[in-house]
């Protein structure tokens, strides 16, 4: 197991996985079509927020600089 701050890597993975499943269900069944103008951009943003919530750094808008 990794040391802190990532000693809870399994729990973080489960949180990310459950967030992704929820986002995919919303995408497949088009639950955001009446409240989001750009569904693809929303999906990208939501995945980035979910990943960042478990400690990953995700560049948005093609920003790949550190």
């Amino acid at each position: 197991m990794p040391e802190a701050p990532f000693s809870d890597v399994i729990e973080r993975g489960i949180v990310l996985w459950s967030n992704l499943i929820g986002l995919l269900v919303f995408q497949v069944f088009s639950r955001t079509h009446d409240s989001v103008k750009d569904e693809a951009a929303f999906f990208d943003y939501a995945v980035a927020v979910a990943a960042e919530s478990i400690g990953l750094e995700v560049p948005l808008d093609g920003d790949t600089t550190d």
Side-chain angles (χ1 to χ4, degrees), residues 1-14 16 50-58:
M1 293 296 289
E3 295 180 14
F6 298 108
S7 57
D8 58 349
V9 70
I10 292 172
E11 290 85 354
R12 288 173 183 255
I14 292 170
L16 181 59
E52 288 175 348
S53 74
I54 67 160
L56 299 174
E57 292 183 27
V58 180

Side-chain angles (χ1 to χ4, degrees), residues 19-41:
N19 276 307
L20 293 176
I21 289 171
L23 287 169
L24 288 172
V25 168
F26 263 57
Q27 189 75 10
V28 168
F29 294 108
S30 192
R31 300 311 313 158
T32 56
H33 73 280
D34 57 349
S35 58
V36 175
K37 291 181 181 180
D38 186 349
E39 290 185 73

